[in-house]
Amino acid sequence: MSITRLAIDFYVTSSLSSDELEAAAQLGVRSIVNNEPDQEAESESLRRGADALGLSYHSVPSHKNVDEQTQISSFIDIMEHCEKPVLAFCKSVSNGISLWVMSETRHK
C-alpha cells in the first residue's frame, strides 16, 4: 500500500483492501473515507473491517451524476467531525486529493 501525506492529518491512497486496513491503523489513521463509486469498492466489508479496528468509516462516492458541491459539502462535514488522521482512497487517488483541495479552499 502506497500512502501519500497531503497534510498533517490527511493521507490518500489507491484502492484499499480489508487486509490493508490494519496497516493503516498501525500508521495511526483513525478514519477512512471511501471516494470510490459504490459499485467499485467492497464498502460493507471495509466498513466491518474498520469497525473491528476501531476506525470510523465514511463514504463520499465519486459519481458523475452527483453534484460536485454536494460531494464537497459531505466531505467537509466528515472532515470537521471525524477523528484524525484521515485516509481517503479511490483507484486513481485523484478523488480524495480533489475533495481535500476543494474543501481546504472553501475553508480559507
Side-chain angles (χ1 to χ4, degrees):
M1 171 173 60
S2 175
I3 294 178
T4 302
R5 184 180 192 176
L6 297 181
I8 203 155
D9 60 357
F10 187 73
Y11 301 86
V12 291
T13 191
S14 60
S15 296
L16 189 66
S17 71
S18 296
D19 295 338
E20 294 168 325
L21 284 170
E22 188 169 346
Q26 289 175 354
L27 290 173
V29 168
R30 301 303 308 143
S31 300
I32 304 292
V33 178
N34 179 344
N35 295 131
E36 293 187 348
D38 290 332
Q39 68 273 15
E40 288 186 28
E42 300 173 11
S43 297
E44 197 52 42
S45 173
L46 288 171
R47 182 179 305 279
R48 284 191 306 269
D51 286 345
L53 293 167
L55 306 175
S56 64
Y57 183 90
H58 310 274
S59 184
V60 182
S62 174
H63 293 287
K64 293 178 182 174
N65 298 338
V66 176
D67 177 56
E68 184 177 83
Q69 294 307 312
T70 301
Q71 290 178 22
I72 295 168
S73 294
S74 295
F75 186 81
I76 288 171
D77 186 54
I78 289 166
M79 291 299 291
E80 288 177 348
H81 297 98
C82 73
E83 192 174 352
K84 294 176 183 63
V86 174
L87 174 62
F89 73 94
C90 70
K91 282 186 181 179
S92 70
V93 185
S94 64
N95 295 333
I97 293 171
S98 296
L99 285 170
W100 179 77
V101 168
M102 288 185 276
S103 69
E104 288 293 301
T105 302
R106 187 181 272 188
H107 274 275
K108 306 258 182 228

